[in-house]
Structure formats: structure tokens, C-alpha cells
Amino acid sequence: MYNDPKTVDAKFDIKAWVCVSNHFHVFTVIRTILEAITKEKDDSGNLEMVHKKLKEKLSGRKFFLVLDDVWNKRPVEWEAVRAPLSYGAPGSKILVTTRDDNVASKMGSKVHLLKRLREDECWNVFENNALKDGDLELNDELKEIGRRIVEKCDGLPLALKTIGCLLRTKSSSEWKSILMSEIWHLPQDSKIIPALVMSYHYLPSHLKKCFAYCALFPKDYEFVKEKLILLWMAQNFLQCPQQVRDPIEIGEEYFNNLLSMSFFQQSVVGRCFIMHDLLNDLAKYVCADFYFRLKFDKTQYISKETRNFSFEFHDVKSFYGFESLTDAKRLRSLLPISEFLHSQWHFKISIHDMFSKFKFLRVLSFCCCSDLKEVPNSVGNLKHLHLLDLSNTMIQKLPESICLLYNLLILKLNHCSKLEELPLNLHKLSKLHCLEFKKTKVKKMPMHFGELKNLQVLNMFFIDRNSELSTKQLGGLNLHGRLSINEVQNISNPLDALEANLKNKHLVKLELEWKSDHIPDDPMKEKEVLQNLQPSKHLESLSICNYNGTKFPSWVFDNSLSNLVFLKLKDCKYCLCLPPLGLLSSLKTLKIVGLDGIVSIGAEFYGSNSSFASLERLEFHNMKEWEEWECKNTSFPRLEGLYVDKCPKLKGLSEQHDLHLKKVLSIWSSPLVNIPMTNYDFLEAMMINGGWDSLTIFMLDLFPKLRTLRLTRCQNLRRISQEHAHSHLQFLAISDCPQFESFLSEGLSEKPVQILIPSLTWLEIIDCPEVEMFPDGGLSLNVKQMNLSSLKLIASLKEILNPNTCLQSLYIENLDVECFPDEVLLPRSLSCLVISECPNLKNMHYKGLCHLSSLRLGDCPSLQCLPEEGLPKSISSLSIIGCPLLKERCQNPDGEDWEKIAHIQELYVE
């Protein structure tokens, strides 16, 4: 359904998929949703921060959110999760999947029960996976055997798929053998699907090991293929006879084999993969006591047989069995697991003792262990160690004894914010394959670094002042994947840049960064240095930061990088004109940031008539001197979004700027920008914030497909003009527009708003002091939610709302009152009231809250107490966030207001 064409046709601004699973924590779930939407890690430290960020991301945007595999039944926690989701545009959808009928009934929406597959559907799933490439159907013999096998799968799609994949490469005699296998007769209390056991049973031994290792990870874990392969490598699972093949290449092959047999499946989140819950159960089943996963394994203590141990961060606080780790003397893996970058955990046994006792460890991770500030010298005793992860710890340096770990393959030091240098004798780790240390204070590579001939994964490299030696060391490494090269200004001789040999490295992502305060002495030399740092044609993502040349070399734009899909040019302040980036035929995202030397963008940017053939997203940020932009009509045929931010001198877009934008136009903090009033037949969303100061009347008729319109800080905007009915606009938000007066220009139309904007379901008017009343004739009957900050507008709601109105939710923001709401203010149709960011609000009227079923209070620091009479019995849901005085009075059981709220079913106080 997530990728169904009907979902695509619905034209959601945002789509996200979040696996919730057994462990449910409000803060964690909301942050996961935010990260799924932004596609980047979030560092919010508390619920209030993440609430605000998610609200900002969703406000006015139509979204489709899947909350997968939900087990939590507590309504109060769901109310807290739903709060920021309610800010999405009308038409937003939330799909919840669960295997628990009670959870489904708590959601308060329609429940769809999935039935078992019919017999013909079962056969189609099985046959599609069992057919060899090129075959149209199975022969009669295999059909007969196959139908009997399908019966044993009991209508379970996963079983049909995996057993089909298994049989694809088998002979007819092997089909018969599988049909007659005793595995089909597993005892029912094992809760393991026989078809899945069968698929595992017939795996080659090396794939069995790789699959079983996944028992260490929780259900719904988002696997990053590259990280998992490194763990397999650390366990010696990757067979490399005579070292003929690269182990990473072998790991890729193993992973792809498991993927093709449905042991993994592609996640909807980025490049990650997930494992079905039933396969996760199977992995734990086949590895028995050799693998211990905290919380999954019910016992608190770890047996002597345990070889691999893992735990999730949020489980450590309740676990007191770390002492019993000392019984598992042949432990090979200690692996803390979290999907959040800034989570932390604490270790409760002496790290020195641990190093002394666990001499057979191959994988050791202290990632995000906040207690770790120093690594003891005894780390050198771990002679069998293959992987050491000290990322996100507080270490300042590494002991030289770490260089005695001659079998070490992988060393991770990412986000060690206090780490200042790498060990001097690092080159003695001759087997080292992977070294990562981004976001540290390290600014220099150790001597003899180039002797690490087996190193293939390196995310950071710093050019030394002795640039010839430094680049030669880099050039001698056979690197793959992602690399950031820093301090490029230290390359004094362009010929030294050639020594880096980037053209022959199989990099997919490259960042080149010069020091920000570097002043060039010869711009031509700067260009030659960059010319000689040309990467290979395999590159997909390129970022160039603080480059000090006036021009870019030809390889940046001449399509030598035929696979390049992402390009960012940032703070290249001496660049006077942009290169013809339009020639990059595969480019999908282009970000131009902080190029202060650019005054005009013209024909030189395009390079040909049919330029930017694949570009979907174009962004300009912090362009201080940019004034003019000449655009070609034949450019940007696939452009979906244009974002212009902090370009204070950009005068506007010419009438020729027919960009055929298909989705989004966003202008922020660019007051001189004019948007030509031509027809925008395809544009769906427009956000103007602190731009387009010349705009006085917004002509809505020119944007016939617009669904979302947000106008913020438009200093001279007075009205919205409209002659014809606009059937698409659903979300309209006007905020911080000091001269805005009305929705309609006088004299242009006598039709009421409910006819002109019939689909409007969300209306927001915040901090627009000149708006004192709603238009005559009332609002659309479909308006379900309103955000207001004017007491006069709130007071007029009862008069202008039709008795058949759909208005359900009212959000009050920035209202300067001490008491609210009065009993005559709110319409009776209202079921949900949200009051936020009202710093002077002290008291609330009981009668004004009657008829409500939901009340949410947020960021009202002066709110002292709830009404003396308590809250109406109609209120079944109450959320209080960021109200410190009220929070104290609502504590269970001693708070002064606790008795007023104790009866409420869905209650959340933070």
C-alpha cells in the first residue's frame, strides 16, 4: 500500500514508515517519526524540543505515515504521539499495523482485518519466487510437488516466499526431499514456522552463520548493509581463500544471497534493510544459548555457553546481570544497540577487569557509553579482537597499547568529541581494514599512515603541511565507499594532488574541504589542485566546501561524473560565476550555499538548451551578493522543488522563469524576490517566509493546483485575490503579516469564501493584527481545524460558522490574555482545544471548556492551575507539556490538581 499507485496519486508532501515494535517510549517514537521524515539524525534532548520540530515539519503539509508493528495499548501515550501529528494538512493519513486486536480497537478508527491468502494467491506467490530466470511456468512434476508444499505453508506469505526462493535453484529430486522432510512436523509449541526452518536448513554453512548473527539485533532493526558486513568480517564469517578476493566484496555477495532468498527485505527508509519478525525469531531459535539478547532472553543471567551478547540502551538501566558476564569467559561479541545517535548507556563493571577476563573477544563496542573517558592499557591484552567501536564516548586519547592489537580489522571513533589525536604507532595495525573518526578534534594523520596497505574504508583524511608525503600516503590506499578530505589548502604544489590518486579509487561519496579562513595566494593554483583531485566515474555524491579558486575545473561539470546524483558547492567565496552544471545529466539534487562572489546567474549556468535533464531539487542558501537570475524555458524539465533561502539582494524571478515546478516553491528571508504572476499550473505547495516584500495582493487564480499556501512575514501583503472557485486549496496559513486585512480584494468577487475555496479544511491566521473579522458569508463547511491568535477572530467564530460546520479543532497561539476561554466564545462543534505559547495565561474558565473531549496545554509558563470546578466530564484526553507550574500541581498522587484530572482516560503530563 505504501508504494501503491493510488497512494502516489494522492500526492502526499511527506511519506514516512516507522517500525514501532514492542519497546514503546513517547519521546523515542516521536523522534523516530521526525528522523523518518527528515532523513537525518535528530539531537533533540527532550520531548518538548522534538514535539516542536515535528510540528514545524508537518504544519500545512499533507503526509502519509505508517506506524508498523504496534503493540502499545496505553491511550495516554498515543495521545502524546498524536499531538504534533495533528498539525499536518487535511487529507493526511496514518496507517497503523498491529497483530493485537486490543491495540487496533484503541486507535479510534476503522479496523481492517487481513485475511489469509486464498489458494490461488498462495500459488502465485510461491510460483513467482520458485521460477528460474526465463521460465514462464513450472513443469507438471514440479507443479504437483509445489502445490503440496504450498499447503504446508498455511497461507503465510513469508513462508511461501522463502520456500519458493529456496526451491528456485533445486532439482526435482531435491523438491521431493524437501516435501518429505521431517522439519514440517516441528512441535507446534515451538512457534517457529517449519517452512522458514526448511529455508534455513538448506542454506550453505557460511550463510547460516551470517544469518544466525542477526539474532543479536531486535525486531524491526534497520540494518545498514555495510555495518553488518563489517561485523561478519570481524567474526571471520567471510571466506577468502588465498586472499584472492576482497572480503567486503564477499560480504556483499553473502548479503545479496540472503536478500534474494527473502531473509532480508528492503526498508522504506533510505538504504536500510529489515528482517521479518518471524525470521528474527528463527535466528534466535537456531543459535540457541550461544547468542544472548537482553530482554528477549527472559533470564537475567548469562550462561557459560554464551558467545555473543547484545543489549539495547534503554534496557541497561533495569539490568543487573553485567556481573554474570564474567561467567561467559569465551565471549566473542559485546554489542550495545541503538538506532539513535545521541542515546547513552552506562557500564556497571570494571572495564579493566573486563579486558583482563574476556580474552577471546572479537567484537567489542562501547558506542555511546557515557562513562568511558579513558581506555585502560589492558586493551592490548585482547589479542583476538577484530572490531573495536569507541564512538560517541568521552575519550581524549587512545593508549599506545591499542597498537598491539595486531588482528584488529575495524576501529571506529566517530563522534568522540574530545579525541585530539590518533596513536603514533597506528601503522602497526597492519591488518586494519576500516578506520572511522568523523566529528572528532583530530586534525592530523599519524606518521607512516600510508603503511596501512589493507585499509579500504576511511571516512576522514587530513592533508598535512608536508603535502607531498601526505597525498602519497593517501594515494597508496585502496579506498572504497565514502571519504572526506580535509585541510586541502595544505596542498601547495598541484602535482602533489595527483599523488592522491582519487581517479582510481572506487568512491561513491566524496567531500573536499578547505579551511574556512584560508586566504589563497594564487587562484590558478587552487584550480589546478582541484583539477588534480578528480574522482572516478563511480562517484554519486560530491561536496566541495571553502574552495578558494575563482573557477571550477572541467571535471565538475563536463559529465565525466556520469553517475553523479548529488552536488553541493558551499562557501566557495571567490567563485565569480557558476560552471555549466546543467550538463550533469544524472544530477537530481543541487545545493548552492554561501557563494558570496556570485552576483548574477545566466547562460553560463546551463551549458546547453536542454540542461538539468534529471534535476528534481534545486536549492540556493546564503547567497549574500546574488542579484539576478536568468532562466531558460527549456531547462529543468523534471524540477519538483525550488528553495531560495537568505538571498537578500536577489531582485526577483523574470517573466521567463517558467520552471514548470511540480511540487514546492519555498522562499525564505529574501525580501526583494518577486515571483512573476504567470500561471503555475502544476505547483502544489508554496511557502513564503520573509520574502517577496513587493507582494500586496496574492492572486490565487494563478495557482490552480495549489493545495498548501503559507505566507509568513510578508510585510506588505494586504489581501488574497480570487475570481474563480479554487477546488484544490486545503491548507491556508497567514502569519506575521502586519498589513494583511482580508481574504478577498474588494470589488473583485461577491461570492462567499465557502464557494470560492470549498475544499479548505485548515485555516491559520497568526499575528495579523489588521484582520479583525472573517469574510462575509462564512467559511468553507469543510474547515476542520483553525489556528488563531486574535481574540476578536475567536469571538466571531460562533457568528460566521455554519451550523453544519465540520470545525473540530481550535489551536490558540500567542494570545495575550490572563484568563481563557470565556463560556460564550467557543462553538459547540468544537471537540479539541489546543492552547500553546501564551506566556501570560494564568487561569482557565470551566464553562468555556464544556463540550470538549480533548484539551492540550503547551508552553504556558504562567498557567497556575486548572479551573476551580475541575474539568468537564466530557474531556477524556488531557495533555500538559511545558507548563511547569501546572505540572507540579498535577502530580500523582499529591498534586493539588490531581483529583481534578485523575478520572481522565488519556492523560499525559510532561
Side-chain angles (χ1 to χ4, degrees):
M1 184 174 180
Y2 189 79
N3 294 314
D4 189 277
K6 292 180 182 178
T7 304
V8 176
D9 292 342
K11 296 183 178 179
F12 292 100
D13 301 314
I14 296 171
K15 286 174 64 181
W17 184 300
V18 173
C19 289
V20 179
S21 199
N22 303 53
H23 293 292
F24 188 99
H25 186 268
V26 171
F27 175 66
T28 302
V29 172
I30 295 177
R31 187 165 65 174
T32 306
I33 294 171
L34 178 63
E35 292 179 341
I37 289 170
T38 60
K39 303 294 189 295
E40 57 188 35
K41 290 291 183 182
D42 176 71
D43 59 359
S44 298
N46 57 54
L47 182 62
E48 188 177 340
M49 287 175 61
V50 76
H51 252 268
K52 188 174 182 179
K53 286 183 181 180
L54 185 56
K55 170 187 168 183
E56 290 172 352
K57 291 294 180 184
L58 293 180
S59 287
R61 305 185 72 185
K62 184 179 175 184
F63 68 84
F64 178 38
L65 172 64
V66 176
L67 298 175
D68 189 25
D69 198 20
V70 173
W71 293 89
N72 183 281
K73 304 173 190 175
R74 294 182 289 275
V76 60
E77 294 182 343
W78 276 113
E79 178 62 23
V81 170
R82 276 198 290 255
L85 300 179
S86 63
Y87 284 85
S92 297
K93 303 292 181 186
I94 302 174
L95 174 65
V96 177
T97 72
T98 181
R99 283 173 275 171
D100 189 323
D101 291 341
N102 292 324
V103 172
S105 64
K106 297 285 185 184
M107 290 296 115
S109 58
K110 188 173 181 181
V111 177
H112 300 269
L113 297 175
L114 296 182
K115 300 177 181 178
R116 289 182 180 273
L117 295 181
R118 298 192 309 269
E119 185 178 337
D120 59 321
E121 293 171 331
C122 289
W123 177 253
N124 287 337
V125 172
F126 172 81
E127 187 179 38
N128 288 339
N129 287 280
L131 282 172
K132 295 180 181 178
D133 293 340
D135 289 351
L136 298 177
E137 62 177 354
L138 299 171
N139 62 41
D140 292 342
E141 180 186 14
L142 295 184
K143 276 186 181 179
E144 182 181 348
I145 301 170
R147 291 196 182 279
R148 293 174 64 187
I149 290 175
V150 166
E151 289 177 10
K152 294 178 180 290
C153 292
D154 202 24
L156 184 67
L158 178 65
L160 293 162
K161 192 174 180 181
T162 54
I163 202 74
C165 292
L166 168 68
L167 292 169
R168 184 191 306 153
T169 58
K170 304 298 181 184
S171 64
S172 59
S173 62
E174 289 173 306
W175 279 53
K176 292 176 183 176
S177 175
I178 289 170
L179 173 63
M180 303 307 295
S181 172
E182 291 296 319
I183 293 176
W184 294 110
H185 305 295
L186 280 174
Q188 291 189 355
D189 60 0
S190 71
K191 297 183 181 180
I192 302 297
I193 309 299
L196 303 183
V197 179
M198 191 81 70
S199 299
Y200 169 80
H201 179 73
Y202 280 89
L203 283 177
S205 60
H206 58 275
L207 292 185
K208 284 182 177 177
K209 294 177 184 177
C210 293
F211 168 71
Y213 199 76
C214 297
L216 290 176
F217 296 89
K219 292 179 179 180
D220 298 320
Y221 183 78
E222 298 278 345
F223 289 94
V224 177
K225 178 171 64 172
E226 293 78 9
K227 292 182 179 179
L228 184 59
I229 288 173
L230 290 177
L231 287 168
W232 289 344
M233 179 192 295
Q235 293 293 342
N236 282 341
F237 291 164
L238 308 181
Q239 300 173 358
C240 310
Q242 292 87 44
Q243 300 294 318
V244 173
R245 294 178 62 194
D246 171 41
I248 292 294
E249 184 183 325
I250 294 171
E252 289 259 359
E253 180 183 303
Y254 286 7
F255 187 92
N256 291 336
N257 285 339
L258 290 170
L259 179 64
S260 70
M261 290 185 282
S262 299
F263 284 90
F264 291 107
Q265 50 191 300
Q266 185 79 48
S267 169
V268 295
V269 181
R271 294 185 170 187
C272 295
F273 298 84
I274 58 174
M275 179 175 285
H276 194 283
D277 283 3
L278 295 174
L279 286 166
N280 186 283
D281 289 339
L282 175 63
K284 196 67 188 70
Y285 173 78
V286 299
C287 67
D289 292 335
F290 288 97
Y291 289 71
F292 187 100
R293 191 167 83 223
L294 188 61
K295 287 292 185 182
F296 185 93
D297 296 283
K298 304 303 180 186
T299 177
Q300 285 282 67
Y301 295 96
I302 304 159
S303 73
K304 295 179 180 179
E305 287 74 32
T306 299
R307 295 292 180 268
N308 302 286
F309 169 75
S310 70
F311 60 90
E312 293 183 73
F313 291 3
H314 50 71
D315 290 332
V316 173
K317 294 175 184 177
S318 61
F319 180 66
Y320 298 96
F322 274 120
E323 307 84 42
S324 68
L325 270 174
T326 56
D327 294 332
K329 296 186 184 300
R330 302 190 74 83
L331 198 68
R332 292 184 179 180
S333 300
L334 192 149
L335 197 62
I337 293 171
S338 175
E339 297 188 62
F340 302 107
L341 182 63
H342 295 278
S343 300
Q344 292 185 335
W345 60 281
H346 304 276
F347 209 61
K348 297 180 180 179
I349 65 173
S350 164
I351 294 175
H352 171 76
D353 289 347
M354 190 184 125
F355 288 168
S356 301
K357 293 175 182 178
F358 299 130
K359 297 181 179 179
F360 297 96
L361 276 171
R362 292 182 179 177
V363 172
L364 176 59
S365 174
F366 284 98
C367 181
C368 297
C369 179
S370 57
D371 298 326
L372 188 61
K373 299 178 180 179
E374 184 179 358
V375 179
N377 284 320
S378 53
V379 69
N381 296 332
L382 303 177
K383 302 299 183 184
H384 299 280
L385 197 62
H386 290 168
L387 184 153
L388 178 60
D389 190 350
L390 302 172
S391 300
N392 273 293
T393 60
M394 303 304 290
I395 59 172
Q396 298 181 25
K397 64 178 182 177
L398 292 169
E400 281 299 321
S401 62
I402 209 168
C403 301
L404 300 175
L405 301 175
Y406 299 125
N407 289 306
L408 196 66
L409 301 173
I410 299 135
L411 178 59
K412 295 189 176 186
L413 306 165
N414 297 316
H415 297 275
C416 292
S417 57
K418 296 188 176 183
L419 182 65
E420 297 183 348
E421 61 181 8
L422 297 174
L424 187 63
N425 292 309
L426 191 70
H427 62 281
K428 292 184 178 179
L429 301 177
S430 58
K431 294 183 179 180
L432 197 65
H433 178 95
C434 168
L435 174 63
E436 299 179 356
F437 60 99
K438 68 179 180 182
K439 304 291 183 182
T440 68
K441 290 184 178 180
V442 174
K443 298 297 180 186
K444 185 177 181 180
M445 309 306 291
M447 289 288 290
H448 311 296
F449 186 79
E451 295 179 20
L452 294 171
K453 297 302 181 183
N454 287 305
L455 193 66
Q456 294 191 10
V457 179
L458 177 69
N459 62 357
M460 300 287 288
F461 188 89
F462 288 87
I463 303 293
D464 194 74
R465 291 189 181 277
N466 184 350
S467 63
E468 181 180 3
L469 176 60
S470 194
T471 53
K472 277 185 178 180
Q473 287 184 338
L474 178 59
L477 302 175
N478 182 26
L479 299 179
H480 297 253
R482 304 178 178 191
L483 175 64
S484 175
I485 303 178
N486 300 271
E487 308 287 343
V488 180
Q489 75 282 347
N490 285 332
I491 302 180
S492 55
N493 186 342
L495 293 178
D496 293 346
L498 281 175
E499 297 287 349
N501 197 26
L502 294 187
K503 203 168 186 178
N504 293 316
K505 299 187 190 305
H506 201 303
L507 298 174
V508 293
K509 181 177 181 179
L510 175 64
E511 297 177 1
L512 298 172
E513 186 164 347
W514 286 250
K515 199 171 182 179
S516 59
D517 58 359
H518 170 61
I519 299 175
D521 53 5
D522 183 355
M524 283 304 298
K525 187 195 76 174
E526 300 282 325
K527 181 184 175 183
E528 289 178 41
V529 168
L530 184 55
Q531 172 66 50
N532 292 339
L533 291 174
Q534 178 176 354
S536 78
K537 63 181 181 181
H538 302 290
L539 199 71
E540 298 174 9
S541 174
L542 173 64
S543 297
I544 300 176
C545 302
N546 300 318
Y547 167 64
N548 289 314
T550 55
K551 293 183 178 180
F552 289 90
S554 60
W555 63 260
V556 173
F557 56 82
D558 66 5
N559 224 25
S560 300
L561 306 178
S562 55
N563 293 303
L564 196 70
V565 295
F566 176 92
L567 174 61
K568 179 168 76 172
L569 305 178
K570 180 181 178 183
D571 295 335
C572 305
K573 299 186 184 301
Y574 294 90
C575 179
L576 302 177
C577 67
L578 289 174
L581 300 175
L583 298 174
L584 295 169
S585 58
S586 299
L587 194 65
K588 291 185 177 182
T589 299
L590 174 60
K591 296 185 178 183
I592 310 292
V593 183
L595 269 66
D596 292 348
I598 300 295
V599 175
S600 174
I601 295 177
E604 76 287 344
F605 183 48
Y606 304 97
S608 70
N609 288 329
S610 56
S611 53
F612 294 106
S614 302
L615 198 70
E616 297 174 354
R617 185 181 180 102
L618 176 60
E619 299 184 22
F620 295 98
H621 301 271
N622 298 321
M623 304 281 282
K624 296 178 181 177
E625 303 300 325
W626 184 28
E627 297 179 6
E628 297 180 354
W629 182 13
E630 176 190 333
C631 189
K632 290 189 174 183
N633 284 339
T634 55
S635 302
F636 310 110
R638 297 186 180 180
L639 193 64
E640 295 183 351
L642 172 63
Y643 302 81
V644 178
D645 176 29
K646 296 185 181 69
C647 301
K649 294 186 179 180
L650 181 61
K651 296 173 184 175
L653 308 179
S654 68
E655 295 290 336
Q656 287 74 39
H657 275 72
D658 189 3
L659 298 174
H660 306 290
L661 280 170
K662 295 176 176 60
K663 287 191 177 180
V664 181
L665 173 60
S666 175
I667 310 291
W668 284 61
S669 302
S670 305
L672 301 182
V673 167
N674 293 318
I675 298 173
M677 282 299 182
T678 58
N679 285 312
Y680 292 82
D681 294 336
F682 305 103
L683 194 67
E684 297 174 9
M686 176 182 284
M687 283 83 74
I688 309 295
N689 189 329
W692 204 358
D693 274 3
S694 63
L695 177 67
T696 56
I697 300 174
F698 185 89
M699 301 174 69
L700 189 58
D701 290 331
L702 299 179
F703 304 85
K705 294 293 178 67
L706 204 63
R707 291 189 292 111
T708 296
L709 174 61
R710 178 178 283 279
L711 301 174
T712 305
R713 294 191 298 128
C714 297
Q715 299 302 313
N716 298 300
L717 176 67
R718 294 179 180 274
R719 302 182 185 93
I720 293 177
S721 161
Q722 186 183 4
E723 288 282 354
H724 308 289
H726 195 296
S727 59
H728 289 86
L729 190 66
Q730 297 176 330
F731 178 96
L732 175 60
I734 315 291
S735 58
D736 295 307
C737 296
Q739 298 191 54
F740 184 71
E741 300 170 349
S742 171
F743 292 98
L744 301 175
S745 297
E746 295 176 11
L748 289 180
S749 177
E750 298 179 357
K751 298 177 182 177
V753 173
Q754 59 182 280
I755 295 176
L756 287 172
I757 317 178
S759 300
L760 190 68
T761 54
W762 177 308
L763 176 63
E764 177 178 310
I765 305 175
I766 300 292
D767 294 334
C768 298
E770 297 299 315
V771 182
E772 296 188 347
M773 64 180 66
F774 290 101
D776 294 336
L779 298 173
S780 165
L781 295 177
N782 293 314
V783 172
K784 294 181 180 178
Q785 179 168 322
M786 297 181 69
N787 291 26
L788 302 173
S789 64
S790 164
L791 195 58
K792 287 185 178 180
L793 288 179
I794 297 169
S796 69
L797 278 177
K798 276 193 171 183
E799 300 174 15
I800 60 99
L801 286 177
N802 187 291
N804 298 318
T805 183
C806 294
L807 185 64
Q808 299 169 354
S809 302
L810 178 61
Y811 285 63
I812 307 297
E813 298 181 26
N814 305 331
L815 197 63
D816 188 13
V817 294
E818 291 189 1
C819 188
F820 184 87
D822 188 273
E823 61 180 296
V824 299
L825 279 183
L826 303 181
R828 295 180 65 88
S829 66
L830 209 61
S831 60
C832 176
L833 175 64
V834 180
I835 304 175
S836 66
E837 299 178 37
C838 298
N840 298 319
L841 182 65
K842 294 180 179 178
N843 302 296
M844 303 179 70
H845 276 303
Y846 173 84
K847 291 184 178 180
L849 303 175
C850 292
H851 311 298
L852 293 179
S853 61
S854 176
L855 175 63
R856 302 176 197 164
L857 306 171
D859 299 317
C860 300
S862 301
L863 186 57
Q864 298 171 352
C865 60
L866 294 173
E868 211 173 296
E869 305 90 329
L871 293 177
K873 290 184 178 180
S874 61
I875 293 181
S876 60
S877 174
L878 173 65
S879 173
I880 301 173
I881 299 174
C883 306
L885 300 179
L886 189 57
K887 175 184 176 181
E888 187 175 343
R889 294 178 62 95
C890 291
Q891 294 302 304
N892 178 11
D894 301 323
E896 294 177 62
D897 282 354
W898 172 246
E899 290 187 4
K900 299 177 183 179
I901 63 174
H903 67 283
I904 294 178
Q905 184 181 3
E906 300 180 9
L907 179 63
Y908 189 81
V909 181
E910 174 65 32

